[in-house]
Amino acid sequence: MNPRTTVVAALLLSSLHFLPPAFAQTLPPGVVKGPSVEGITEYRLPNGLKVLLFPDASKPTVTVNVTYLVGSRHENYGETGMAHLLEHLMFKGAPKHRDITQQFAERGMEFNGTTSLDRTNYYEVFAAGDANLKWALDMEAERMTKSFIAQKDLDSEMTVVRNEYESGENNPFGVLLKRIQSVAYDWHSYGRSTIGNRSDIENVRIANLQAFYHTWYQPDNAVLLVAGKFEPSKTLAWISKSFGVIPKPKRKLPPFWTVEPVQDGERNFTVRRKGDVQIVLVGYKVPSGLHDDADRLSFMSQIIGDTPTGRLHKQLVETGKAAQVFSFGLTGYQPGIQLFGAVVKLGQPIEPVRDELIAAVEGFAKTPVTEEEMERTRRNFANGIEKALNDPQQVGVAMSEQIALGDWRLLFQGRDNLPNITAQQVAEAAGRYLKRDNRTVGIFIPEDSPLRAEIGAAPTAAGILKDYKAKESNLTSENFDPSQDNIMARTEISQIGGIKAALLPKKTRGQTVAVDLRLHWGDEKSQFGKAMVSALTQEMLTRGTTRYTRTQLADELSRLKIAGGSVYQFETTRENLAAALRLQAHVLKDAVFPESEFEQLKQQWIVALEADRNEPATKAGQAMSEYFDHWPKGDPRAVMTIDEQIAEIKAMKLEDVKAYHRDFYGASHGEMSIVGDFDKDEATKIVQETLGGWQSKAPYARIPDANAERKAITRFIDTPDKENGFFTARMNVDLNTADPDYAALELANYIFGDGGLKSRLMDRIRQKDGLSYGGGSSLTAGDIDRAGSFTISAIAAPQNLKKLDAAIREELQRVVKDGFTAAEVAGAKSGLLQQRLQNRSKDNVLAGAWTNYLYLGRTFDFSKQHEERLKSLTAEQVNAAFRKAINPVQLSVITAGDSSKAK
């Protein structure tokens, strides 16, 4: 039963006639009297200690109980079990009480300590008398802050606690309970058993224990309860003297901020160990013991799990399917877990019991709770709580649970509210949490020889390297100057058949070489309606040729050290380049398109499209592309919807792919660059032999691009059950890379959002407002046409999308109004120019740049001139270009996120 309800259930107080009337008292200096409830009175000392006095002269005993608001929930990494281990060390003595257990024995005191998720408590029960009570108070006051917590005690007590751990490992239910905690929780420390991990118990440092002790074992984090036969005024004076001298701590308690995410699907696990019974355990996440539903769920737990009146007992035990059933809550100050279980005799089928147990629990909300069940539950709770309040020892321990929830008066508040709990509330509460996707199921299966994999200890790095002798490296490279002038001087431009080629030999580390090839075929008319078949044809190239199966081809690529993932762009080494170029041509010309691979590829593409279609970034980006699209359906420039892509893939035949390859593929028009460690004469010869005479049947003509006017829109797309959202904005820009303003706009975009973390955009939405992990802006310009665009994108939680939108628009307006500073322009110049220099130092990037320039009829002189323009720019020129091209009013914005979270 929920800890709160354990002592919060209904109680008939007619038996409490023995409570004495409020006594007249003069409080010790600084002590403040707090609330009183039914014979229990709260006091607070100046150092923060709470004191509860519960005088009861009906029995000749006294209970002293100290509850510390710290449990296994507060342990850190590598410290699991530390709260419990510290509990053991608290009995090892303090300067004036060096042998606490011996002194307990001499006074005939019953004593113990317990540790749970949220609290640790220590109690002693003894014969009433001033001497015993004063000793107990002095002892508890001293060990609160002056316990030895010594290494010698840890050395001896660790093995005791470890043995306690080991005894639990022999208990099938204990093992299953520990495992269900760890499986049910992803992050919250309720997912760790209080006993802790064996290696943590064995290896925790005394310094860690001492730090834990000094942090949490302080008067402002403790509640002292004295219950039984004692004189209140005298006892309060003793408490003020013994505990009051402890200074009020200056430290602040560490905050606890971990919130377990909502479980998003059922979880199942199996434990196989030696044992004599089978057990099935089912758990569901439930709210904190402070939640309104906590007591309602306790009613449910009693109604369904009680023996012999509970539903599970009648359904599973009385029918002979299970030997025992149970239900209880492992709950506390934070959201916990409600557990249901059944014990099944060895040899009987456990799966039917599991299924019936789950069906009964998850069907509880649909099965009306009877008034008989409600009345029986109230009566059982009342009897239990009445017994607890009549026993000072039980009061001390049970009250610890209420204290851990935040206030001892929850006992009485909850009790008084129990008559208001209705059958409908109980059923509705069960329906909110006892659901499939909130379920965790564990099964204990006895097995004499479980198939375990022992993970042995690894050697140290020093041990592995003890006899290692390093080889001498022969990896060398030239000190290549990546300036445009040097690139031009070192590159040979030639025509190889229909291919324009740029060859740049240079010494590289590891004798690496990069290859970049671009081929062009078809025109606006012949490519109409062939966008998807063109894409699938390219993907099919490496899935089988006349000489190689897909597997054999993968092995050959590996053998030739070909990396890059594309037949058009790859890297290899000098000794493998000749074979790699021949293999490249073979794959391009001699693909055979196996039927099985074709069907497999189609399914993979469809699955990928389906998997991505509901992602906020995909939906927003797709919607933006479709809005700005103005080409007719089937045009190679047109944007296809996801449904259109899927439909076309499904309808595509293998013959369509073969026909496209047959009708279009060829090297009549193309560009190729090779950069790195290679022999240019040999490379030229091989390219001529393999691709020089390979002609495409389809005439080639460049397909021009253009923008169409679009009005600014603002649109929101609902993406249910997605934790993250997406923002995208776009406006068209009439821009070509040869325009005088292009360099200024490139620099402005770099400052605004393309410069990484240090940009106007990220300074605002990440560093200042904390709305987004990532975002940026992009500027595109046509190299030949004038189809440019300015776009902005960022991610954010759905509830922050409106704030993100407002912040981005505000920053954009601020740039248009106030402009960029001279310092920003100078910094951006430096960053952008260094970035371009670094790119020219990468052979694959350099190769790609050359093929692009060859296509455009340019050389690296264009790059040099562009950088000269960048260097000469002033802040005034950058701002003028930005204001001329970018009008925030024309910005179309589309956001996507979960609308329920956005609210």
Side-chain angles (χ1 to χ4, degrees):
M1 196 166 65
N2 188 289
R4 178 182 178 192
T5 318
T6 304
V7 285
V8 174
L11 174 65
L12 303 176
L13 290 178
S14 57
S15 61
L16 299 185
H17 60 275
F18 52 80
L19 295 177
F23 53 89
Q25 62 184 142
T26 301
L27 298 178
V31 176
V32 177
K33 185 177 180 180
S36 294
V37 180
E38 300 182 16
I40 303 177
T41 305
E42 176 184 315
Y43 303 87
R44 187 181 288 270
L45 272 57
N47 57 15
L49 178 71
K50 280 185 182 179
V51 178
L52 304 178
L53 298 185
F54 185 12
D56 171 12
S58 66
K59 293 183 180 179
T61 59
V62 176
T63 297
V64 172
N65 182 87
V66 183
T67 301
Y68 294 93
L69 300 179
V70 60
S72 59
R73 169 165 66 94
H74 303 87
E75 296 162 346
N76 290 320
Y77 175 79
E79 297 179 343
T80 62
M82 189 164 67
H84 172 249
L85 185 54
L86 180 60
E87 174 215 312
H88 280 243
L89 295 187
M90 289 290 287
F91 290 91
K92 294 298 184 178
K96 295 180 181 178
H97 298 84
R98 291 183 171 272
D99 195 341
I100 293 176
T101 55
Q102 175 64 32
Q103 291 170 306
F104 278 142
E106 291 171 354
R107 289 167 175 78
M109 292 182 172
E110 181 182 344
F111 65 93
N112 208 342
T114 67
T115 306
S116 71
L117 300 170
D118 301 303
R119 57 92 192 143
T120 307
N121 81 302
Y122 304 85
Y123 68 86
E124 45 271 1
V125 183
F126 47 86
D130 287 357
N132 280 343
L133 177 55
K134 191 173 185 308
W135 179 88
L137 294 174
D138 289 343
M139 183 275 297
E140 291 291 5
E142 187 184 33
R143 74 170 173 176
M144 175 177 282
T145 58
K146 295 181 179 178
S147 290
F148 291 133
I149 317 299
Q151 181 65 54
K152 66 179 182 61
D153 296 323
L154 174 60
D155 292 341
S156 61
E157 200 63 24
M158 180 278 290
T159 58
V160 174
V161 174
R162 184 175 62 189
N163 187 240
E164 184 179 350
Y165 167 90
E166 291 162 345
S167 69
E169 289 294 286
N170 288 347
N171 185 309
F173 174 76
V175 171
L176 199 59
L177 177 62
K178 179 170 66 173
R179 195 75 73 248
I180 202 169
Q181 286 180 255
S182 64
V183 174
Y185 288 94
D186 291 327
W187 306 108
H188 199 283
S189 49
Y190 277 4
R192 303 193 300 253
S193 171
T194 300
I195 193 66
N197 176 42
R198 182 186 184 112
S199 63
D200 287 356
I201 296 169
E202 292 176 333
N203 296 296
V204 66
R205 300 294 184 261
I206 192 64
N208 297 62
L209 277 162
Q210 290 168 344
F212 192 81
Y213 168 67
H214 291 306
T215 297
W216 298 102
Y217 280 67
Q218 295 289 341
D220 64 344
N221 195 47
V223 179
L224 168 67
L225 169 69
V226 181
K229 187 175 182 179
F230 63 91
E231 202 284 307
S233 294
K234 185 190 299 183
T235 300
L236 191 59
W238 289 340
I239 292 171
S240 178
K241 184 177 181 181
S242 57
F243 285 91
V245 297
I246 302 173
K248 184 176 182 177
K250 296 180 180 179
R251 61 89 181 94
K252 290 186 177 180
L253 289 171
F256 189 94
W257 53 74
T258 299
V259 176
E260 182 70 15
V262 175
Q263 187 168 319
D264 51 12
E266 65 270 44
R267 303 175 182 184
N268 300 276
F269 67 93
T270 301
V271 175
R272 298 179 187 272
R273 293 195 182 197
K274 285 184 178 290
D276 300 311
V277 295
Q278 302 176 101
I279 306 173
V280 56
L281 189 60
V282 184
Y284 301 84
K285 306 272 182 50
V286 293
S288 158
L290 290 166
H291 195 278
D292 286 343
D293 282 340
D295 290 336
R296 298 163 187 169
L297 290 171
S298 289
F299 267 70
M300 174 277 302
S301 180
Q302 179 81 1
I303 291 168
I304 201 171
D306 183 54
T307 297
T309 63
R311 294 181 181 184
L312 290 177
H313 182 85
K314 295 182 181 300
Q315 189 170 339
L316 295 174
V317 178
E318 292 183 2
T319 58
K321 298 172 184 175
Q324 180 186 350
V325 293
F326 51 87
S327 172
F328 65 94
L330 189 65
T331 56
Y333 184 75
Q334 299 279 323
I337 185 169
Q338 177 68 39
L339 297 160
F340 308 88
V343 178
V344 181
K345 184 180 178 182
L346 198 62
Q348 289 187 335
I350 194 171
E351 288 79 8
V353 176
R354 174 199 62 198
D355 297 342
E356 197 166 338
L357 174 66
I358 291 171
V361 170
E362 295 181 10
F364 179 89
K366 299 176 182 177
T367 307
V369 179
T370 67
E371 189 51 44
E372 179 186 4
E373 289 175 318
M374 292 292 291
E375 186 55 39
R376 180 187 298 119
T377 301
R378 290 191 184 98
R379 184 172 62 249
N380 289 341
F381 286 171
N383 291 341
I385 302 309
E386 180 177 358
K387 182 178 180 182
L389 281 178
N390 283 337
D391 184 339
Q393 178 181 340
Q394 289 193 40
V395 169
V397 178
M399 193 76 79
S400 289
E401 300 298 339
Q402 309 311 307
I403 292 168
L405 289 178
D407 196 302
W408 60 276
R409 289 173 294 169
L410 291 168
L411 164 68
F412 301 98
Q413 183 273 339
R415 178 203 64 195
D416 294 344
N417 188 54
L418 285 175
N420 300 323
I421 297 176
T422 66
Q424 182 179 350
Q425 289 174 335
V426 171
E428 289 175 348
R432 280 190 279 274
Y433 311 106
L434 307 183
K435 298 179 178 181
R436 179 198 64 192
D437 291 348
N438 190 36
R439 179 206 310 152
T440 302
V441 181
I443 295 178
F444 184 94
I445 298 179
E447 191 165 307
D448 289 338
S449 301
L451 304 177
R452 295 176 182 162
E454 295 288 343
I455 309 299
T460 64
I464 294 173
L465 295 172
K466 182 178 62 174
D467 298 321
Y468 173 70
K469 290 187 172 40
K471 296 179 181 178
E472 296 225 359
S473 174
N474 58 358
L475 299 176
T476 58
S477 63
E478 66 173 285
N479 185 13
F480 183 78
D481 173 15
S483 68
Q484 290 96 338
D485 288 342
N486 188 53
I487 291 170
M488 289 292 296
R490 295 283 297 270
T491 303
E492 178 181 298
I493 308 295
S494 63
Q495 187 76 30
I496 307 175
I499 296 176
K500 297 176 184 176
L503 306 179
L504 198 171
K506 63 191 187 78
K507 293 293 183 182
T508 59
R509 183 176 174 85
Q511 297 183 316
T512 57
V513 57
V515 178
D516 193 283
L517 172 67
R518 302 185 189 185
L519 299 176
H520 314 285
W521 46 67
D523 54 26
E524 185 176 339
K525 183 177 179 180
S526 64
Q527 292 288 349
F528 193 89
K530 291 184 169 58
M532 292 305 296
V533 70
S534 173
L536 260 75
T537 302
Q538 180 170 319
E539 284 293 314
M540 283 293 295
L541 292 175
T542 56
R543 295 191 173 224
T545 70
T546 54
R547 294 205 301 263
Y548 302 103
T549 65
R550 184 181 180 184
T551 300
Q552 290 170 338
L553 185 57
D555 289 340
E556 186 67 5
L557 291 170
S558 175
R559 187 182 70 82
L560 296 177
K561 298 183 180 180
I562 295 175
S566 169
V567 71
Y568 293 98
Q569 291 89 31
F570 62 87
E571 294 183 31
T572 183
T573 60
R574 180 184 181 95
E575 66 175 345
N576 292 307
L577 178 62
L581 289 173
R582 289 192 174 94
L583 183 63
Q584 176 191 44
H586 168 67
V587 170
L588 285 167
K589 296 162 69 174
D590 302 324
V592 294
F593 308 105
E595 178 83 40
S596 61
E597 292 289 344
F598 176 65
E599 293 301 326
Q600 184 183 123
L601 177 61
K602 285 174 61 176
Q603 290 305 311
Q604 289 171 345
W605 272 39
I606 291 170
V607 169
L609 287 167
E610 292 283 9
D612 201 41
R613 72 184 305 160
N614 290 318
E615 291 301 316
T618 300
K619 297 202 75 147
Q622 183 76 18
M624 187 69 80
S625 296
E626 290 175 22
Y627 178 68
F628 277 87
D629 180 35
H630 60 96
W631 303 106
K633 294 294 182 183
D635 189 284
R637 294 157 292 194
V639 175
M640 296 179 69
T641 68
I642 291 178
D643 286 336
E644 288 169 345
Q645 294 177 61
I646 291 174
E648 194 160 323
I649 292 170
K650 287 181 177 179
M652 196 177 301
K653 302 291 188 294
L654 180 60
E655 183 52 38
D656 298 329
V657 172
K658 291 182 176 180
Y660 188 88
H661 183 263
R662 182 176 60 247
D663 296 340
F664 287 96
Y665 269 58
S668 304
H669 300 274
E671 299 81 39
M672 187 178 200
S673 63
I674 305 177
V675 178
D677 203 334
F678 69 101
D679 184 304
K680 65 181 179 181
D681 292 333
E682 181 186 29
T684 300
K685 179 182 177 183
I686 293 172
V687 174
Q688 178 64 54
E689 290 175 356
T690 55
L691 300 178
W694 185 36
Q695 299 295 306
S696 171
K697 296 179 182 180
Y700 166 66
R702 187 183 70 85
I703 302 175
D705 198 6
N707 283 333
E709 186 176 342
R710 287 288 184 266
K711 293 182 179 179
I713 62 166
T714 300
R715 184 183 301 170
F716 177 82
I717 300 173
D718 188 20
T719 56
D721 201 30
K722 296 295 182 181
E723 289 293 328
N724 204 9
F726 190 76
F727 169 98
T728 185
R730 172 178 168 174
M731 62 176 290
N732 286 336
V733 181
D734 181 31
L735 187 64
N736 184 280
T737 54
D739 288 350
D741 280 349
Y742 174 65
L745 283 172
E746 183 184 29
L747 199 61
N749 176 62
Y750 186 88
I751 300 170
F752 180 77
D754 196 36
L757 281 179
K758 190 56 185 173
S759 64
R760 280 282 188 97
L761 184 66
M762 292 304 286
D763 274 347
R764 175 62 186 272
I765 66 175
R766 177 167 169 161
Q767 275 77 260
K768 180 182 177 183
D769 292 353
L771 297 171
S772 175
Y773 170 78
S777 65
S778 175
L779 178 76
T780 62
D783 286 312
I784 299 175
D785 306 306
R786 305 195 62 78
S789 66
F790 176 68
T791 60
I792 305 170
S793 63
I795 60 173
Q799 60 269 29
N800 289 330
L801 284 173
K802 286 186 178 179
K803 294 179 183 177
L804 180 72
D805 186 352
I808 290 173
R809 291 178 188 270
E810 187 177 305
E811 282 305 307
L812 199 57
Q813 289 282 6
R814 188 162 71 91
V815 171
V816 172
K817 178 177 178 290
D818 300 330
F820 302 111
T821 66
E824 285 179 308
V825 170
K829 282 185 195 179
S830 174
L832 194 55
L833 289 168
Q834 288 186 62
Q835 192 178 89
R836 291 172 64 90
L837 179 67
Q838 291 171 30
N839 284 336
R840 292 196 301 273
S841 301
K842 301 172 184 176
D843 290 349
N844 61 328
V845 177
L846 189 54
W850 257 127
T851 53
N852 185 53
Y853 282 157
L854 292 173
Y855 174 73
L856 297 173
R858 296 173 179 172
T859 68
F860 271 86
D861 285 339
F862 181 88
S863 170
K864 182 179 180 180
Q865 293 165 10
H866 180 68
E867 290 188 2
E868 291 299 328
R869 286 191 289 269
L870 284 171
K871 292 175 184 176
S872 67
L873 285 170
T874 65
E876 290 76 14
Q877 291 171 319
V878 171
N879 291 327
F882 195 80
R883 292 186 179 110
K884 176 182 174 183
I886 308 301
N887 182 358
V889 176
Q890 297 176 352
L891 202 67
S892 289
V893 174
I894 297 178
T895 52
D898 186 329
S899 60
S900 64
K901 292 183 175 69
K903 292 177 183 178

